[in-house]
Amino acid sequence: MPFEPFIITAEMPRELFAWVNGLRRQHYPVERNQLDAHVTLFHALAPSLLGELKPLLSAMAGEFSAPEARLNGVMDMGKGTALAIHSPAMLEIRSDIAFRFRGALTAQDDHTPRLHITVQNKVDRAAARALQKELADIDLTRKFRFTGLGLHIYKGGPWQTIGSWSFRGAARGKQGG
């Protein structure tokens, strides 16, 4: 049986998701685009953690209000393009989750990520530069609040959604943005 890790995402508001998902559909190579636009917090959590993941994500969503965030321009990914996100509040929530799973994180997940939404990947460098130039001419700055946490399982390309939990709690001091 293949290793099917869990992925945790930060969920976006509907309007922002629709816009960035449209960019992704327009610029991501069709033959490789198996996912909708997303913000990954953790890439590969072990399947054995499922019993802990669901109650933890539910508790975190219940404890925190929606973290402030801001699209912060274009991110050059070499052979791709992403939209950078600034959100100290979401990074603090992610840090709390990482602390719970210390010792069980992969090397990729055992560091603070640069939050982003990939709209293009695995293209030649010229195509990536062209999109980055096109996007640089647009005001990409948008303030928003993440709406929740999502849990997915990797299925060899596409993901299967396990659950999504909406933020509904008190801020607990994690709203700076």
Side-chain angles (χ1 to χ4, degrees), residues 76-167:
D76 182 349
M77 297 177 58
K79 292 188 172 191
T81 302
L83 303 179
I85 298 173
H86 176 77
S87 182
M90 180 51 77
L91 288 176
E92 285 187 48
I93 291 169
R94 187 209 178 272
S95 178
D96 286 356
I97 296 169
F99 181 76
R100 296 283 190 103
F101 294 110
R102 66 194 176 280
L105 298 177
T106 63
Q108 184 179 21
D109 286 333
D110 198 19
H111 70 280
T112 303
R114 295 183 305 161
L115 298 177
H116 65 277
I117 305 164
T118 303
V119 295
Q120 177 192 58
N121 202 8
K122 298 183 177 141
V123 298
D124 65 51
R125 186 71 183 122
R129 283 190 186 134
L131 178 57
Q132 291 159 19
K133 183 177 181 327
E134 177 184 327
L135 292 175
D137 293 336
I138 301 170
D139 181 10
L140 298 172
T141 307
R142 287 173 170 73
K143 290 184 178 182
F144 67 97
R145 288 181 179 271
F146 285 107
T147 59
L149 298 168
L151 179 63
H152 316 271
I153 189 165
Y154 179 77
K155 292 290 191 179
W159 298 352
Q160 176 186 337
T161 299
I162 302 300
S164 181
W165 295 267
S166 296
F167 290 114

Coordinates of all heavy atoms in Angstrom, one line a residue, residues 76-167:
D76 N 8.6 34.3 -6.9 CA 9.3 33.6 -8.0 C 9.7 32.2 -7.5 O 10.4 32.1 -6.5 CB 10.6 34.4 -8.4 CG 11.3 33.7 -9.5 OD1 11.1 32.6 -9.9 OD2 12.3 34.4 -10.0
M77 N 9.2 31.2 -8.1 CA 9.5 29.8 -7.7 C 10.4 29.1 -8.7 O 10.4 27.9 -8.8 CB 8.2 29.0 -7.6 CG 7.3 29.6 -6.5 SD 5.7 28.7 -6.4 CE 6.2 27.0 -6.1
G78 N 11.2 29.9 -9.4 CA 12.1 29.3 -10.4 C 11.3 28.9 -11.7 O 11.2 29.7 -12.6
K79 N 10.7 27.7 -11.7 CA 9.9 27.3 -12.8 C 8.4 27.4 -12.5 O 7.6 26.5 -12.9 CB 10.3 25.8 -13.2 CG 11.7 25.7 -13.7 CD 12.0 24.3 -14.2 CE 13.3 24.3 -14.9 NZ 13.5 23.1 -15.7
G80 N 8.1 28.4 -11.8 CA 6.7 28.6 -11.4 C 6.5 30.0 -10.7 O 7.5 30.7 -10.5
T81 N 5.2 30.2 -10.4 CA 4.9 31.5 -9.9 C 3.8 31.3 -8.8 O 2.9 30.5 -8.9 CB 4.3 32.4 -11.0 OG1 5.2 32.6 -12.0 CG2 3.9 33.8 -10.4
A82 N 4.0 32.0 -7.7 CA 3.0 32.0 -6.6 C 2.7 33.4 -6.1 O 3.4 34.3 -6.5 CB 3.6 31.1 -5.5
L83 N 1.6 33.5 -5.4 CA 1.3 34.7 -4.7 C 1.7 34.6 -3.3 O 1.2 33.7 -2.6 CB -0.2 35.0 -4.8 CG -0.7 35.0 -6.3 CD1 -2.3 35.3 -6.3 CD2 0.0 36.1 -7.1
A84 N 2.5 35.5 -2.8 CA 3.0 35.5 -1.4 C 1.9 35.9 -0.5 O 1.1 36.8 -0.8 CB 4.3 36.3 -1.3
I85 N 1.9 35.4 0.7 CA 1.0 35.7 1.8 C 1.7 36.1 3.0 O 2.6 35.4 3.5 CB 0.0 34.6 2.1 CG1 -0.8 34.2 0.8 CG2 -0.9 34.9 3.2 CD1 -1.6 32.9 1.0
H86 N 1.3 37.2 3.6 CA 1.9 37.7 4.9 C 0.8 37.4 6.0 O -0.3 38.0 5.8 CB 2.2 39.1 4.8 CG 2.7 39.7 6.1 ND1 4.0 39.5 6.6 CD2 2.1 40.5 7.0 CE1 4.1 40.1 7.8 NE2 3.0 40.7 8.1
S87 N 1.0 36.6 6.9 CA 0.1 36.3 8.0 C 0.8 35.8 9.2 O 0.8 34.5 9.5 CB -1.0 35.3 7.5 OG -2.0 35.1 8.6
P88 N 1.3 36.7 10.1 CA 1.9 36.2 11.3 C 0.9 35.4 12.2 O 1.3 34.4 12.8 CB 2.3 37.5 12.0 CG 2.5 38.5 10.9 CD 1.5 38.1 9.9
A89 N -0.3 35.8 12.2 CA -1.3 35.0 13.0 C -1.5 33.6 12.5 O -1.6 32.7 13.3 CB -2.7 35.8 12.9
M90 N -1.5 33.4 11.2 CA -1.6 32.0 10.7 C -0.4 31.2 11.0 O -0.4 30.0 11.3 CB -2.0 31.9 9.2 CG -2.1 30.5 8.7 SD -3.2 29.4 9.6 CE -4.8 30.0 9.0
L91 N 0.8 31.9 10.9 CA 2.0 31.2 11.2 C 2.1 30.8 12.7 O 2.7 29.7 13.0 CB 3.2 32.0 10.8 CG 3.4 32.1 9.3 CD1 4.6 33.1 9.0 CD2 3.7 30.8 8.7
E92 N 1.5 31.6 13.6 CA 1.5 31.2 15.0 C 0.6 30.0 15.2 O 0.9 29.1 16.0 CB 1.0 32.4 15.8 CG 2.1 33.5 16.0 CD 1.6 34.5 17.0 OE1 1.2 34.2 18.1 OE2 1.8 35.7 16.6
I93 N -0.6 30.0 14.5 CA -1.4 28.8 14.6 C -0.7 27.6 14.1 O -0.7 26.5 14.7 CB -2.8 29.1 13.9 CG1 -3.6 30.1 14.6 CG2 -3.6 27.8 13.8 CD1 -4.8 30.6 13.9
R94 N -0.1 27.7 13.0 CA 0.7 26.6 12.4 C 1.8 26.1 13.4 O 2.0 24.9 13.6 CB 1.3 27.0 11.1 CG 2.0 25.8 10.4 CD 3.2 26.2 9.5 NE 3.8 25.1 9.0 CZ 4.8 24.4 9.5 NH1 5.2 24.7 10.7 NH2 5.3 23.3 8.9
S95 N 2.4 27.1 14.0 CA 3.5 26.8 15.0 C 2.9 25.9 16.2 O 3.5 25.0 16.7 CB 4.1 28.0 15.5 OG 5.1 27.8 16.5
D96 N 1.7 26.3 16.6 CA 1.0 25.5 17.7 C 0.8 24.1 17.2 O 1.0 23.1 18.0 CB -0.3 26.2 18.1 CG -0.1 27.4 18.9 OD1 1.0 27.8 19.2 OD2 -1.2 28.1 19.2
I97 N 0.3 23.9 16.0 CA 0.1 22.6 15.5 C 1.4 21.8 15.4 O 1.5 20.6 15.8 CB -0.6 22.6 14.1 CG1 -2.0 23.2 14.3 CG2 -0.7 21.2 13.5 CD1 -2.7 23.6 12.9
A98 N 2.5 22.5 14.9 CA 3.8 21.8 14.7 C 4.3 21.4 16.1 O 4.9 20.3 16.2 CB 4.8 22.8 14.0
F99 N 4.1 22.2 17.1 CA 4.6 21.8 18.4 C 3.9 20.5 18.9 O 4.6 19.7 19.5 CB 4.3 23.0 19.4 CG 4.8 22.7 20.8 CD1 6.1 22.8 21.1 CD2 3.9 22.3 21.8 CE1 6.6 22.5 22.4 CE2 4.3 22.0 23.1 CZ 5.6 22.1 23.4
R100 N 2.6 20.4 18.6 CA 1.9 19.2 19.0 C 2.5 17.9 18.3 O 2.4 16.8 18.9 CB 0.4 19.3 18.6 CG -0.3 20.3 19.3 CD -0.7 19.9 20.8 NE -1.6 20.8 21.3 CZ -2.9 20.6 21.5 NH1 -3.4 19.4 21.1 NH2 -3.6 21.5 22.0
F101 N 3.0 18.1 17.1 CA 3.5 16.9 16.4 C 5.0 16.9 16.3 O 5.6 16.2 15.4 CB 2.9 16.9 15.0 CG 1.4 16.6 15.1 CD1 0.5 17.6 14.8 CD2 0.9 15.4 15.5 CE1 -0.9 17.4 14.9 CE2 -0.5 15.2 15.6 CZ -1.4 16.2 15.3
R102 N 5.7 17.6 17.2 CA 7.2 17.6 17.1 C 7.7 16.2 17.2 O 7.1 15.4 17.9 CB 7.7 18.5 18.3 CG 7.4 18.0 19.6 CD 7.7 19.0 20.7 NE 7.3 18.5 22.0 CZ 6.1 18.5 22.5 NH1 5.1 18.9 21.8 NH2 5.8 18.0 23.7
G103 N 8.7 15.9 16.5 CA 9.2 14.6 16.4 C 8.6 13.7 15.4 O 9.1 12.6 15.0
A104 N 7.4 14.1 14.9 CA 6.7 13.3 13.9 C 6.6 14.1 12.5 O 6.0 13.6 11.6 CB 5.3 13.0 14.3
L105 N 7.3 15.2 12.4 CA 7.3 16.0 11.2 C 8.4 15.6 10.3 O 9.5 15.3 10.7 CB 7.4 17.5 11.5 CG 6.3 18.1 12.4 CD1 6.6 19.6 12.7 CD2 4.9 18.0 11.8
T106 N 8.0 15.7 9.0 CA 9.1 15.4 7.9 C 10.0 16.7 7.9 O 9.7 17.7 8.4 CB 8.4 15.3 6.6 OG1 7.8 16.5 6.2 CG2 7.5 14.1 6.5
A107 N 11.1 16.5 7.2 CA 12.1 17.6 7.1 C 11.4 18.8 6.4 O 11.6 20.0 6.8 CB 13.3 17.2 6.3
Q108 N 10.5 18.5 5.4 CA 9.8 19.6 4.7 C 8.9 20.4 5.6 O 8.7 21.6 5.5 CB 9.0 19.0 3.5 CG 8.4 20.1 2.7 CD 7.6 19.5 1.5 OE1 7.3 18.3 1.5 NE2 7.4 20.3 0.5
D109 N 8.3 19.7 6.6 CA 7.3 20.3 7.5 C 7.9 20.8 8.8 O 7.2 21.5 9.6 CB 6.2 19.4 7.8 CG 5.2 19.2 6.7 OD1 5.1 20.1 5.8 OD2 4.6 18.1 6.6
D110 N 9.2 20.5 9.0 CA 9.8 20.9 10.3 C 10.5 22.2 10.2 O 11.6 22.4 10.7 CB 10.8 19.8 10.7 CG 11.2 19.9 12.2 OD1 10.4 20.6 13.0 OD2 12.2 19.3 12.6
H111 N 9.9 23.2 9.6 CA 10.4 24.6 9.5 C 9.2 25.5 9.2 O 8.2 25.0 8.7 CB 11.5 24.7 8.5 CG 11.0 24.6 7.1 ND1 10.7 23.4 6.5 CD2 10.6 25.6 6.2 CE1 10.2 23.6 5.2 NE2 10.2 24.9 5.0
T112 N 9.4 26.7 9.5 CA 8.3 27.7 9.2 C 8.2 28.0 7.7 O 9.2 28.3 7.1 CB 8.6 29.0 9.9 OG1 8.7 28.8 11.3 CG2 7.4 30.0 9.7
P113 N 7.1 27.7 7.1 CA 7.0 27.9 5.6 C 6.8 29.4 5.2 O 6.4 30.2 6.0 CB 5.7 27.1 5.3 CG 4.8 27.3 6.5 CD 5.8 27.3 7.6
R114 N 7.0 29.6 3.9 CA 6.6 30.9 3.3 C 5.2 30.7 2.8 O 5.1 30.0 1.8 CB 7.6 31.3 2.2 CG 9.0 31.6 2.8 CD 10.0 32.1 1.7 NE 10.0 31.1 0.6 CZ 10.4 31.4 -0.7 NH1 10.8 32.6 -1.0 NH2 10.4 30.5 -1.6
L115 N 4.2 31.3 3.4 CA 2.9 31.0 3.0 C 2.7 31.6 1.6 O 3.1 32.7 1.2 CB 1.9 31.7 3.9 CG 1.9 31.2 5.3 CD1 0.9 32.0 6.2 CD2 1.6 29.7 5.4
H116 N 2.0 30.8 0.7 CA 1.8 31.2 -0.7 C 0.7 30.4 -1.3 O 0.3 29.4 -0.8 CB 3.1 31.1 -1.5 CG 3.5 29.7 -1.6 ND1 4.3 29.0 -0.6 CD2 3.4 28.8 -2.6 CE1 4.5 27.8 -1.0 NE2 4.0 27.6 -2.2
I117 N 0.3 30.9 -2.5 CA -0.7 30.2 -3.3 C 0.0 30.0 -4.7 O 0.3 31.0 -5.4 CB -2.0 30.9 -3.5 CG1 -2.6 31.3 -2.2 CG2 -3.0 30.2 -4.4 CD1 -3.7 32.4 -2.3
T118 N 0.2 28.7 -5.1 CA 0.9 28.5 -6.3 C -0.1 28.6 -7.5 O -1.2 28.0 -7.4 CB 1.5 27.1 -6.4 OG1 2.4 27.0 -5.3 CG2 2.2 26.8 -7.7
V119 N 0.2 29.5 -8.4 CA -0.7 29.6 -9.6 C -0.1 29.1 -10.9 O -0.8 28.9 -11.9 CB -1.1 31.1 -9.8 CG1 -2.0 31.6 -8.6 CG2 0.0 32.0 -10.0
Q120 N 1.2 28.7 -10.8 CA 1.9 28.1 -12.0 C 3.1 27.3 -11.4 O 3.8 27.8 -10.5 CB 2.4 29.3 -12.8 CG 3.2 28.9 -14.0 CD 3.8 30.1 -14.7 OE1 4.6 30.8 -14.0 NE2 3.5 30.3 -15.9
N121 N 3.3 26.1 -12.0 CA 4.5 25.3 -11.6 C 4.9 24.4 -12.7 O 4.1 24.0 -13.6 CB 4.1 24.5 -10.3 CG 5.4 24.1 -9.5 OD1 6.5 24.6 -9.9 ND2 5.2 23.3 -8.5
K122 N 6.1 24.0 -12.7 CA 6.7 23.1 -13.6 C 6.5 23.5 -15.1 O 6.1 22.8 -16.0 CB 6.1 21.7 -13.4 CG 6.5 21.2 -12.0 CD 6.0 19.8 -11.8 CE 6.5 19.4 -10.4 NZ 5.6 18.6 -9.6
V123 N 6.9 24.8 -15.3 CA 6.9 25.4 -16.6 C 8.4 25.8 -16.9 O 9.2 25.8 -16.0 CB 6.0 26.6 -16.8 CG1 4.5 26.2 -16.5 CG2 6.4 27.7 -15.8
D124 N 8.7 26.2 -18.1 CA 10.0 26.7 -18.4 C 10.2 28.1 -17.8 O 9.2 28.8 -17.5 CB 10.4 26.6 -19.9 CG 9.6 27.6 -20.7 OD1 9.5 28.8 -20.4 OD2 9.1 27.1 -21.8
R125 N 11.4 28.4 -17.5 CA 11.8 29.6 -16.8 C 11.2 30.9 -17.5 O 10.8 31.8 -16.9 CB 13.3 29.7 -16.7 CG 13.8 30.9 -15.9 CD 13.4 30.7 -14.4 NE 13.9 31.9 -13.7 CZ 13.1 32.6 -12.9 NH1 11.8 32.3 -12.7 NH2 13.5 33.7 -12.3
A126 N 11.2 30.9 -18.9 CA 10.7 32.0 -19.6 C 9.2 32.2 -19.4 O 8.7 33.3 -19.2 CB 11.0 31.8 -21.1
A127 N 8.5 31.1 -19.3 CA 7.0 31.2 -19.1 C 6.8 31.7 -17.7 O 5.9 32.6 -17.5 CB 6.3 29.9 -19.3
A128 N 7.6 31.3 -16.7 CA 7.4 31.8 -15.3 C 7.7 33.3 -15.3 O 7.0 34.0 -14.6 CB 8.3 31.0 -14.4
R129 N 8.8 33.7 -15.9 CA 9.1 35.1 -15.9 C 8.1 36.0 -16.5 O 7.8 37.1 -16.1 CB 10.5 35.3 -16.6 CG 11.6 34.9 -15.7 CD 12.9 35.4 -16.4 NE 14.1 34.9 -15.7 CZ 15.1 34.4 -16.2 NH1 15.2 34.2 -17.5 NH2 16.1 33.9 -15.5
A130 N 7.5 35.5 -17.6 CA 6.4 36.2 -18.3 C 5.2 36.4 -17.4 O 4.7 37.5 -17.4 CB 6.0 35.5 -19.6
L131 N 4.8 35.4 -16.7 CA 3.7 35.5 -15.8 C 4.0 36.4 -14.7 O 3.2 37.3 -14.3 CB 3.2 34.2 -15.3 CG 2.0 34.2 -14.3 CD1 0.8 34.9 -14.9 CD2 1.6 32.8 -13.8
Q132 N 5.2 36.3 -14.1 CA 5.6 37.2 -13.0 C 5.6 38.7 -13.5 O 5.1 39.6 -12.7 CB 7.0 36.8 -12.5 CG 6.9 35.5 -11.8 CD 8.2 34.8 -11.7 OE1 9.3 35.4 -11.8 NE2 8.2 33.5 -11.5
K133 N 6.0 38.9 -14.7 CA 6.0 40.3 -15.2 C 4.6 40.8 -15.4 O 4.2 41.9 -15.1 CB 6.7 40.4 -16.6 CG 6.8 41.8 -17.2 CD 7.6 41.8 -18.4 CE 7.8 43.1 -19.1 NZ 6.7 44.1 -19.0
E134 N 3.7 39.9 -15.9 CA 2.3 40.2 -16.1 C 1.6 40.6 -14.8 O 0.9 41.6 -14.6 CB 1.6 39.1 -16.8 CG 0.1 39.3 -17.0 CD -0.6 38.0 -17.6 OE1 0.1 37.3 -18.4 OE2 -1.7 37.8 -17.2
L135 N 1.9 39.7 -13.8 CA 1.3 39.9 -12.5 C 1.9 41.1 -11.7 O 1.2 41.8 -10.9 CB 1.4 38.7 -11.6 CG 0.6 37.5 -12.1 CD1 0.9 36.3 -11.2 CD2 -0.9 37.8 -12.1
A136 N 3.1 41.5 -12.0 CA 3.8 42.6 -11.4 C 3.1 43.9 -11.8 O 3.1 44.9 -11.0 CB 5.2 42.7 -11.8
D137 N 2.4 44.0 -12.9 CA 1.7 45.1 -13.3 C 0.3 45.3 -12.7 O -0.4 46.2 -13.0 CB 1.5 45.1 -14.9 CG 2.9 45.3 -15.6 OD1 3.8 45.8 -15.0 OD2 3.0 44.8 -16.7
I138 N -0.1 44.3 -11.9 CA -1.4 44.3 -11.2 C -1.2 44.6 -9.7 O -0.3 44.0 -9.2 CB -2.1 42.9 -11.4 CG1 -2.3 42.6 -12.9 CG2 -3.5 42.9 -10.7 CD1 -2.7 41.2 -13.1
D139 N -2.1 45.3 -9.1 CA -2.1 45.5 -7.7 C -2.6 44.2 -7.1 O -3.8 44.0 -7.1 CB -2.9 46.7 -7.2 CG -2.8 46.9 -5.7 OD1 -2.0 46.2 -5.0 OD2 -3.6 47.7 -5.2
L140 N -1.8 43.4 -6.5 CA -2.2 42.1 -6.0 C -2.5 42.2 -4.5 O -2.9 41.2 -3.9 CB -1.1 41.1 -6.2 CG -0.7 40.7 -7.6 CD1 0.5 39.8 -7.7 CD2 -1.9 40.1 -8.3
T141 N -2.2 43.3 -3.9 CA -2.4 43.5 -2.4 C -3.9 43.3 -2.1 O -4.7 44.1 -2.6 CB -1.9 44.8 -1.9 OG1 -0.5 44.9 -2.4 CG2 -1.9 44.9 -0.4
R142 N -4.2 42.3 -1.3 CA -5.6 42.1 -0.9 C -5.5 41.7 0.6 O -4.9 40.7 0.9 CB -6.3 41.0 -1.7 CG -6.6 41.5 -3.1 CD -7.2 40.3 -3.9 NE -7.8 40.7 -5.2 CZ -7.1 41.1 -6.2 NH1 -5.8 41.2 -6.2 NH2 -7.7 41.3 -7.3
K143 N -6.3 42.3 1.4 CA -6.4 41.9 2.8 C -7.5 40.9 2.9 O -8.6 41.1 2.2 CB -6.6 43.1 3.7 CG -5.4 44.0 3.9 CD -5.7 45.1 4.9 CE -4.5 45.9 5.0 NZ -4.7 47.0 6.0
F144 N -7.4 39.9 3.7 CA -8.4 38.9 3.9 C -8.2 38.2 5.3 O -7.2 38.5 6.0 CB -8.5 37.9 2.8 CG -7.2 37.0 2.7 CD1 -7.3 35.7 3.2 CD2 -6.1 37.4 2.0 CE1 -6.1 34.9 3.1 CE2 -5.0 36.6 1.9 CZ -5.0 35.3 2.5
R145 N -9.1 37.4 5.6 CA -9.0 36.5 6.8 C -9.1 35.1 6.3 O -10.0 34.7 5.6 CB -10.0 36.8 7.8 CG -9.8 38.1 8.5 CD -10.9 38.3 9.6 NE -10.7 39.6 10.3 CZ -10.0 39.8 11.4 NH1 -9.4 38.7 11.9 NH2 -9.9 40.9 12.0
F146 N -8.2 34.2 6.8 CA -8.4 32.8 6.5 C -9.7 32.3 7.2 O -10.0 32.8 8.3 CB -7.2 32.0 7.1 CG -5.9 32.1 6.3 CD1 -4.9 32.9 6.7 CD2 -5.8 31.5 5.1 CE1 -3.7 33.0 5.9 CE2 -4.7 31.6 4.3 CZ -3.6 32.3 4.7
T147 N -10.4 31.4 6.6 CA -11.7 31.0 7.1 C -11.7 29.7 7.9 O -12.6 29.5 8.7 CB -12.7 30.8 5.9 OG1 -12.2 29.9 5.0 CG2 -12.9 32.2 5.2
G148 N -10.6 28.9 7.8 CA -10.6 27.7 8.5 C -9.3 26.9 8.2 O -8.4 27.3 7.6
L149 N -9.4 25.6 8.7 CA -8.3 24.7 8.5 C -8.9 23.5 7.7 O -10.0 23.0 8.0 CB -7.7 24.2 9.8 CG -7.1 25.3 10.7 CD1 -6.8 24.8 12.1 CD2 -5.8 25.8 10.0
G150 N -8.1 23.0 6.8 CA -8.6 21.8 6.0 C -7.6 20.6 6.2 O -6.4 20.8 6.4
L151 N -8.2 19.4 6.1 CA -7.4 18.2 6.2 C -7.7 17.4 5.0 O -8.8 17.1 4.7 CB -7.7 17.4 7.5 CG -7.0 16.1 7.7 CD1 -5.5 16.4 7.9 CD2 -7.5 15.4 9.0
H152 N -6.6 17.0 4.3 CA -6.7 16.2 3.1 C -5.7 15.0 3.1 O -4.8 15.1 3.9 CB -6.3 17.1 1.9 CG -6.9 18.5 2.0 ND1 -8.2 18.7 1.4 CD2 -6.5 19.6 2.5 CE1 -8.5 20.0 1.7 NE2 -7.5 20.6 2.3
I153 N -6.0 14.0 2.3 CA -5.1 12.9 2.2 C -4.6 12.9 0.8 O -5.4 13.0 -0.2 CB -5.7 11.6 2.6 CG1 -4.7 10.5 2.7 CG2 -6.9 11.2 1.8 CD1 -5.1 9.2 3.5
Y154 N -3.3 12.7 0.6 CA -2.7 12.6 -0.7 C -3.0 11.3 -1.4 O -2.8 10.2 -0.8 CB -1.2 12.8 -0.6 CG -0.4 12.7 -1.8 CD1 -0.4 13.8 -2.7 CD2 0.3 11.6 -2.2 CE1 0.3 13.7 -3.9 CE2 1.0 11.5 -3.4 CZ 1.0 12.6 -4.2 OH 1.7 12.5 -5.4
K155 N -3.5 11.3 -2.6 CA -3.9 10.1 -3.3 C -3.1 10.0 -4.6 O -3.7 9.8 -5.7 CB -5.4 10.2 -3.6 CG -6.3 10.1 -2.4 CD -6.2 8.7 -1.8 CE -7.3 8.4 -0.8 NZ -7.2 7.0 -0.3
G156 N -1.8 10.2 -4.5 CA -1.0 10.0 -5.7 C -1.1 11.1 -6.7 O -0.7 11.0 -7.8
G157 N -1.5 12.2 -6.3 CA -1.7 13.4 -7.2 C -2.9 14.2 -6.7 O -2.7 15.2 -6.0
P158 N -4.1 13.8 -7.0 CA -5.2 14.5 -6.4 C -5.3 14.3 -4.8 O -4.7 13.3 -4.3 CB -6.5 13.9 -7.1 CG -6.0 12.7 -7.8 CD -4.5 12.7 -7.9
W159 N -6.0 15.1 -4.2 CA -6.2 15.0 -2.7 C -7.7 14.6 -2.5 O -8.6 15.0 -3.2 CB -6.0 16.3 -2.0 CG -4.6 16.8 -2.1 CD1 -3.5 16.3 -2.7 CD2 -4.1 18.1 -1.6 NE1 -2.4 17.1 -2.6 CE2 -2.8 18.2 -1.9 CE3 -4.8 19.2 -1.0 CZ2 -2.0 19.4 -1.6 CZ3 -4.0 20.3 -0.7 CH2 -2.7 20.4 -1.0
Q160 N -7.9 13.9 -1.4 CA -9.2 13.6 -0.9 C -9.4 14.5 0.3 O -8.6 14.4 1.3 CB -9.4 12.2 -0.6 CG -10.8 11.8 0.0 CD -10.8 10.3 0.4 OE1 -10.1 9.5 -0.1 NE2 -11.7 10.0 1.3
T161 N -10.5 15.3 0.4 CA -10.7 16.1 1.6 C -11.3 15.2 2.7 O -12.3 14.5 2.4 CB -11.6 17.3 1.2 OG1 -11.0 18.1 0.2 CG2 -11.9 18.1 2.5
I162 N -10.7 15.3 3.8 CA -11.2 14.6 5.0 C -12.1 15.4 5.8 O -13.1 15.0 6.3 CB -10.0 14.1 5.9 CG1 -9.0 13.3 5.1 CG2 -10.5 13.4 7.2 CD1 -9.6 12.0 4.5
G163 N -11.8 16.7 5.9 CA -12.7 17.6 6.7 C -12.2 19.1 6.6 O -11.0 19.3 6.2
S164 N -13.0 20.0 7.0 CA -12.7 21.4 7.1 C -13.4 22.0 8.3 O -14.5 21.7 8.6 CB -13.2 22.1 5.8 OG -12.9 23.4 5.8
W165 N -12.6 22.8 9.0 CA -13.1 23.4 10.3 C -13.0 24.9 10.2 O -11.9 25.4 10.0 CB -12.3 22.8 11.5 CG -12.5 21.3 11.6 CD1 -13.4 20.7 12.4 CD2 -11.8 20.3 11.0 NE1 -13.4 19.4 12.3 CE2 -12.3 19.1 11.4 CE3 -10.7 20.2 10.1 CZ2 -11.9 17.8 11.0 CZ3 -10.3 19.0 9.6 CH2 -10.8 17.8 10.1
S166 N -14.1 25.6 10.4 CA -14.1 27.0 10.3 C -13.7 27.7 11.6 O -14.1 27.2 12.7 CB -15.6 27.5 10.0 OG -16.0 27.1 8.7
F167 N -12.9 28.7 11.5 CA -12.5 29.5 12.7 C -13.7 30.1 13.3 O -14.6 30.7 12.6 CB -11.5 30.6 12.3 CG -10.1 30.0 12.0 CD1 -9.6 30.2 10.7 CD2 -9.4 29.4 12.9 CE1 -8.4 29.7 10.3 CE2 -8.1 28.9 12.6 CZ -7.6 29.0 11.3

